Amino acid sequence: MTAPRAVALALAISILGSLALVAIYVFGGSIQLQGIGLALALGGLGTAIVIWAVGLIEAPIEVEERHSFAAQEREASIAEGAADGEQISRRRFLSRLLAGAGAILTAALVLPAFSLGPQPGTDLFRTAWRRGMRLVDAGNQPLRPDDIVLDSVTTVFPEGFVGRPDTQTLLIKVRPSDLALPSGRDAWAPEGCIAYSKVCTHAGCPVGLYRAREHLLLCPCHQSTFDVLRGATPIFGPAARPLPQLPMEVDPEGYLVALGDFPEPIGPGFWDMTHPGGRRMR
Amino acid sequence: MLTWIDERLGLADWARAGLRKVFPDHWSFLLGEVALFCLVVLVLTGVFLTLFYVPDATTVTYSGPWLPLRGQTVSAAYDSVMRLSFEVRAGLVMRQIHHWAALVFVAAIVVHLLRIFFTGAFRRPREINWLIGIGLLLLALAMGITGYSLPDDLLSGTGLRVIYSVVIAIPFIGPYLAFLVFGGEFPTSEIISRLFVFHVMLLPALLIGGVLVHLAILVRQKHSQYAEPRATEHNVVGRAFWPSQAFKSTGLAILTAAVLALMGGLVQINPIWSYGPFDATTVSSPAQPDWYVGWLDGALRLFPPIEITALGVTIPSPFIPGVLLPGIAFGIMTLWPFLEAWVTGEHAEHQILDGPRQRPLRTAFGVAGLLVFVILTLAGGNDVVALIFGVPVEAMTNILRVAIVVVPLLGFGLTYRVCTEMRDARAGIGHPRMVRLRRTSAGGFEEDDPD
Amino acid sequence: MEGDAAAGQAVFLARCASCHGEVGQGTALGPSLIGVGAAGADFELRTGRMPFGGAPGAQAVRKPPAFDDPTIRHLVAYVASLGEGPSIPEPRVETASVPSGQRLFIANCAPCHGATAHGGAVGGGALAPALDVATPVQVAEAMLIGPGEMPVFSGLPQGQRDAVVSYVAFLQAQPNPGGVSIGAIGPVPEGFAAWVLGLGLILIVVLVVGHDWRRGR
């Protein structure tokens, strides 16, 4: 096939593709047809142009001279041009004051950017969990330890705060005899029910995976793995701190309630997280 | 008609000079153009998407044809992308072309960057364009991240959570900066509309402006060229822009669009209807960002659980892999032309490009850097790789932790060795050359030249 | 058709007791079957996970069932007789439950099985399998018994479990609206396709366009 014939054929395909596109749009067609129609229309046109370019256009090699912009080769330079402003440079004190005023004004003009967001304050240190708040599931139903099935995992919230992201908590039931929590924490896990913050202490993703047989929580983002039986201590992955444990007890009606907020800030670390003042308002 | 314009703007001489400009003819010089044409496709499809997208986190009830989400509470942003995908004719194909074009755009930039690096095209006088180029790469990454976060789906929202956490981890200013950018503690209702402003207004302005300056400098300085008999440091050997190069570039542009159109129609990408709307209390797996951010996710996955607290200041574990190391890497990349000039003492202009083997040290560093990038990108998908190959995730992670140190070092050494061998073989240095001898009729020996 | 527990016991002693014990009490090689109920036995046998064919400590995976339907019924009847356990569920698959099923699936199942139910590696060598061939009964059974590393979801009300089953059935029947799904596990295969298919095709064009077809003079 000669080049002109190939160009004509490619253009013909392109025209057919474009007409097909019109038909597909007007009469409705699947996304696959849309894509193929567009690909034919564009592909035919592009192929025609390329064949034209490489097959039909005479393009001899040419040589063009370069000109360097290096200072010694050019007739005028920027330095010489700036030197014409000699009068300005004699007023050195005023020039410096001008530059300083400009800099300070520029800095001041950045100030509205600080309206973009509030001060963090104590937000990163606390969640909405408070003493006496019942644990509820996604349907706002309070929970009794007996209702929780062994080897199950449920996402729970404080009553009235369903869906509130910083309060998201995992409630897991294990055999009490399997627990090996840090000292004093057994009191926070009545009847084998144990609750941890669901926010990963590495980069904040919800720790959604639970390997029930091994009692390991896994975060899908960077594979931090937490040992449920040992206070959600990280045993693999980049997380350096355990998931904070929610202190719980059973209230007189038999429902699980929180004893207070998490004992340390939930989620990813920040520079002053060990600062005692941050926990001022519990 | 051209005469009509010329009579009013006097462009004839300028146009004639421009059309006659000589550009060297090599396929590796077309890579930057591929990126440019992907950008054109992105802008054209992007404008269409912008006309349908609603940058609002206010919740609405989904009532469209996708059954699993009917009656559910979703953000207006997510709802608008669902409507675009299922209720707007040609909406889904435009969305998919746009997203494929974004992935290929950054890939083309990377390949273009590699060509520039390995041929030494960043040397004087092209340092400015190198700096602009790195800036364009960063802008492209920012465009991608802001763009795929706009649908407010479960996957991209999880990515925003990670970005927020990495910013929080910056010492002293982290929490303030994160609260400024997001408008408060994650998740906020402001972030979607802010990302929209960046994605359709601020970043495109910088990106397109940067591209125009990048091209203008290229035209002003003329393109560099490979060594060949006619090429010198004071000329450019190639073909005139019009008609040959113009036709080739136009054809390449249209064919690039054709490939992206084919992918947009045939291959599904980012099925937000499967992920569902963003919910900060749940997550799906696997969880990855788009490929060009995979290296950052991989760095976060591979870095050991080191968190240092001293004098009341904590350096959280995401800081080093998420901020410090990328900062250093990009810093080295940005300053490379000046670093290399300082180390080699070469401050002269270079219009003729190197072959990679002519610069063993530079090439070795480049290969090592590329290997770091590739391994980190692979690490970003370590759970998917583990799934495909049936290897435990932990084993995959540990293998990559070793590989990230060992493989680039090996690559450096191997590349250096290969380059020096190839370079020396060309020059005939240091290797005993095999010579064929022939006995002459007089009894002596002479070289039997096979030529 | 109820199975015959006596017939099941005969098969059990021949094929199962070596790991699970003479009366299903468990040994070092296999867990106790007392209390797994008809649902547990039916799930493991019909998905072919049991008899276990893998290395010790490896995960039991789906394979063709080793027994025919009558034999499975007999074994199920026998195992169910060993102790009180969940009976075989009869999930109601309804279109109307698909939306609530989607929400429950994303909240409870997607973290391991993936939003598209294509499965995932969950660490420790364990895999949450893809759900493309699981029957409604098998999905319901798995939620009841929590096989392997899977948590137990019997705490969810019946209606919610049925909704999840309905959603899984929807996913199995639903074609991909956007085209070929290349694995449907997110940006990793998408990035791969962008490089290999997208940039690959474009690079071919680049090489053709950039080639010196006329051997320049």
Side-chain angles (χ1 to χ4, degrees):
Chain A
M1 175 178 290
T2 63
R5 291 230 177 99
V7 170
L9 177 64
L11 286 174
I13 292 174
S14 175
I15 291 170
L16 285 175
S18 299
L19 291 175
L21 262 185
V22 174
I24 290 166
Y25 185 86
V26 169
F27 297 111
S30 71
I31 183 175
Q32 286 81 3
L33 286 177
Q34 292 168 359
I36 292 173
L38 193 54
L40 285 175
L42 290 168
L45 187 59
T47 308
I49 293 177
V50 168
I51 298 175
W52 191 328
V54 304
L56 292 179
I57 294 182
E58 285 291 331
I61 301 284
E62 297 177 30
V63 179
E64 196 180 335
E65 289 305 306
R66 289 185 196 269
H67 303 282
S68 171
F69 304 131
Q72 55 269 35
E73 294 193 28
R74 301 196 53 218
E75 287 166 18
S77 74
I78 294 179
E80 286 169 20
D84 295 341
E86 216 195 293
Q87 290 189 48
I88 297 174
S89 57
R90 270 192 270 121
R91 301 266 180 197
R92 281 171 66 169
F93 170 70
L94 288 181
S95 318
R96 294 218 175 119
L97 199 58
L98 177 64
I104 292 176
L105 175 60
T106 307
L109 287 176
V110 175
L111 279 176
F114 288 94
S115 308
L116 282 171
Q119 297 262 10
T122 56
D123 282 356
L124 295 175
F125 288 92
R126 307 155 38 198
T127 73
W129 282 104
R130 293 290 177 275
R131 186 186 186 86
M133 284 182 172
R134 281 186 182 163
L135 277 68
V136 296
D137 60 14
N140 210 26
Q141 298 304 308
L143 300 159
R144 292 196 160 89
D146 291 341
D147 295 337
I148 316 296
V149 175
L150 182 66
D151 287 339
S152 69
V153 59
T154 316
T155 304
V156 297
F157 302 91
E159 194 164 22
F161 289 92
V162 174
R164 170 92 167 235
D166 62 344
T167 63
Q168 58 184 299
T169 301
L170 292 165
L171 181 63
I172 297 171
K173 182 95 165 267
V174 298
R175 283 192 183 71
S177 53
D178 287 340
L179 285 172
L181 298 171
S183 68
R185 295 288 176 98
D186 282 315
W188 292 1
E191 298 176 47
C193 292
I194 188 154
Y196 295 109
S197 167
K198 194 174 178 180
V199 185
C200 185
T201 53
H202 175 240
C205 296
V207 182
L209 287 80
Y210 181 48
R211 300 216 296 271
R213 189 174 283 174
E214 298 175 275
H215 304 106
L216 293 175
L217 286 165
L218 181 88
C219 180
C221 285
H222 311 105
Q223 285 83 49
S224 295
T225 310
F226 304 92
D227 189 341
V228 170
L229 301 176
R230 281 164 189 74
T233 299
I235 62 161
F236 184 80
R241 276 169 295 112
L243 299 173
Q245 184 179 354
L246 182 73
M248 280 194 302
E249 66 176 0
V250 181
D251 76 2
E253 279 95 57
Y255 293 111
L256 288 165
V257 296
L259 283 166
D261 199 354
F262 293 98
E264 58 257 356
I266 59 136
F270 47 98
W271 73 277
D272 59 344
M273 64 188 302
T274 57
H275 197 284
R279 308 288 297 172
R280 223 177 300 123
M281 293 157 59
R282 293 281 301 274
Chain B
M1 191 190 70
L2 287 172
T3 318
W4 186 89
I5 296 175
D6 183 47
E7 282 171 357
R8 284 151 183 75
L9 294 175
L11 295 173
D13 293 335
W14 179 86
R16 199 176 305 129
L19 292 178
R20 296 249 33 94
K21 270 201 180 295
V22 170
F23 285 91
D25 219 355
H26 194 269
W27 67 265
S28 65
F29 298 161
L30 296 171
L31 299 170
E33 290 185 31
V34 171
L36 177 66
F37 303 143
C38 288
L39 182 58
V40 172
V41 172
L42 282 167
V43 171
L44 291 175
T45 53
V47 167
F48 180 84
L49 299 181
T50 312
L51 293 168
F52 292 91
Y53 176 74
V54 175
D56 191 0
T58 311
T59 51
V60 299
T61 304
Y62 178 74
S63 53
W66 183 253
L67 175 63
L69 293 173
R70 216 174 275 158
Q72 285 205 42
T73 305
V74 304
S75 65
Y78 183 84
D79 182 69
S80 71
V81 182
M82 285 296 291
R83 256 185 296 121
L84 176 69
S85 301
F86 291 109
E87 299 170 68
V88 171
R89 193 167 292 194
L92 185 59
V93 75
M94 289 291 233
R95 239 198 87 214
Q96 298 203 152
I97 293 176
H98 190 77
H99 203 137
W100 283 118
L103 300 187
V104 176
F105 176 51
V106 184
I109 293 177
V110 168
V111 177
H112 170 65
L113 183 152
L114 290 174
R115 195 285 287 172
I116 300 289
F117 180 84
F118 285 115
T119 58
F122 52 79
R123 291 173 299 178
R124 180 176 173 170
R126 293 180 176 81
E127 303 97 320
I128 300 174
N129 249 3
W130 171 264
L131 294 173
I132 295 177
I134 300 291
L136 291 176
L137 171 63
L138 290 170
L139 284 170
L141 296 183
M143 284 294 286
I145 295 171
T146 54
Y148 71 66
S149 302
L150 289 181
D152 196 24
D153 59 282
L154 184 59
L155 183 62
S156 62
T158 306
L160 286 179
R161 186 8 155 164
V162 174
I163 290 173
Y164 170 86
S165 304
V166 170
V167 175
I168 294 249
I170 300 173
F172 306 116
I173 60 166
Y176 299 96
L177 193 58
F179 273 57
L180 270 185
V181 171
F182 281 78
E185 188 177 8
F186 188 90
T188 62
S189 51
E190 286 89 343
I191 190 61
I192 289 294
S193 42
R194 288 183 187 183
L195 291 173
F196 181 71
V197 170
F198 274 86
H199 188 74
V200 307
M201 189 169 78
L202 294 175
L203 295 176
L206 292 171
L207 186 65
I208 293 172
V211 168
L212 291 175
V213 174
H214 198 68
L215 291 174
I217 293 178
L218 159 68
V219 171
R220 177 87 170 133
Q221 294 180 328
K222 300 194 186 6
H223 206 284
S224 49
Q225 59 192 350
Y226 289 113
E228 60 134 299
R230 285 163 298 194
T232 71
E233 290 284 353
H234 302 284
N235 69 7
V236 55
V237 179
R239 294 191 164 86
F241 178 69
W242 182 267
S244 155
Q245 306 287 47
F247 265 64
K248 284 184 183 177
S249 294
T250 308
L252 177 61
I254 297 176
L255 287 174
T256 301
V259 170
L260 295 173
L262 195 64
M263 292 188 77
L266 294 183
V267 191
Q268 182 169 282
I269 184 169
N270 199 26
I272 57 151
W273 50 85
S274 297
Y275 304 141
F278 177 61
D279 178 348
T281 65
T282 189
V283 67
S284 170
S285 100
Q288 269 90 15
D290 277 2
W291 81 264
Y292 43 80
V293 193
W295 57 273
L296 192 60
D297 209 53
L300 288 171
R301 289 174 193 227
L302 292 187
F303 200 74
I306 297 171
E307 204 157 87
I308 308 161
T309 303
L311 304 170
V313 175
T314 305
I315 302 206
S317 59
F319 175 67
I320 295 175
V323 180
L324 197 61
L325 292 180
I328 293 173
F330 267 96
I332 294 175
M333 222 164 61
T334 307
L335 296 173
W336 186 271
F338 311 101
L339 287 173
E340 186 179 292
W342 175 62
V343 166
T344 61
E346 276 183 46
H347 298 280
E349 271 189 17
H350 285 89
Q351 305 288 352
I352 296 192
L353 297 167
D354 292 327
R357 72 186 74 168
Q358 294 172 269
R359 296 289 184 146
L361 208 55
R362 179 207 296 151
T363 305
F365 272 112
V367 168
L370 186 60
L371 285 171
V372 169
F373 172 72
V374 168
I375 292 172
L376 285 179
T377 305
L378 202 63
N382 63 349
D383 52 345
V384 175
V385 176
L387 178 70
I388 293 173
F389 291 103
V391 176
V393 178
E394 291 82 359
M396 197 69 227
T397 305
N398 287 326
I399 289 171
L400 290 171
R401 278 175 171 161
V402 172
I404 192 68
V405 175
V406 169
V407 173
L409 285 174
L410 279 178
F412 183 91
L414 204 66
T415 307
Y416 187 78
R417 193 63 204 275
V418 168
C419 283
T420 47
E421 295 266 330
M422 291 174 86
R423 185 188 60 181
D424 293 347
R426 266 262 178 91
I429 297 168
H431 286 256
R433 223 166 40 101
M434 294 293 284
V435 174
R436 180 194 290 237
L437 294 177
R438 189 181 48 177
R439 201 79 188 269
T440 64
S441 54
F445 287 97
E446 69 181 28
E447 231 173 82
D448 183 19
D449 192 343
D451 293 318
Chain C
M1 190 209 91
E2 268 293 324
D4 176 14
Q9 182 179 27
V11 182
F12 187 87
L13 287 170
R15 299 294 299 273
C16 320
S18 52
C19 290
H20 287 292
E22 298 283 311
V23 288
Q25 78 280 16
T27 69
L29 293 170
S32 162
L33 298 181
I34 299 169
V36 301
D42 188 67
F43 175 80
E44 302 283 355
L45 292 169
R46 290 207 187 272
T47 62
R49 285 179 164 82
M50 289 293 139
F52 182 64
Q59 179 179 349
V61 293
R62 179 183 282 266
K63 51 191 192 295
F67 307 112
D68 59 15
D69 181 66
T71 313
I72 291 179
R73 289 179 193 275
H74 298 324
L75 280 168
V76 167
Y78 173 69
V79 172
S81 71
L82 294 175
E84 195 71 40
S87 53
I88 295 176
E90 287 163 22
R92 290 173 53 199
V93 178
E94 291 174 330
T95 311
S97 329
V98 169
S100 61
Q102 190 268 356
R103 293 195 59 188
L104 290 160
F105 186 88
I106 293 288
N108 294 291
C109 322
C112 293
H113 288 282
T116 55
H118 277 75
V122 296
L127 290 171
L131 302 179
D132 44 346
V133 293
T135 68
V137 172
Q138 288 163 4
V139 175
E141 286 169 340
M143 280 192 278
L144 280 180
I145 65 168
E149 294 286 358
M150 181 169 161
V152 176
F153 288 100
S154 58
L156 288 177
Q158 168 94 35
Q160 289 188 4
R161 281 181 274 124
D162 286 355
V164 171
V165 172
S166 302
Y167 182 62
V168 173
F170 173 89
L171 284 177
Q172 291 172 345
Q174 181 67 33
N176 289 296
V180 175
S181 74
I182 51 168
I185 48 173
V188 173
E190 288 167 5
F192 190 76
W195 271 91
V196 173
L197 194 61
L199 197 62
L201 284 175
I202 292 172
L203 280 176
I204 293 174
V205 176
V206 164
L207 289 167
V208 166
V209 167
H211 188 266
D212 194 353
W213 292 95
R214 308 181 119 226
R215 295 263 163 247
R217 282 143 240 144

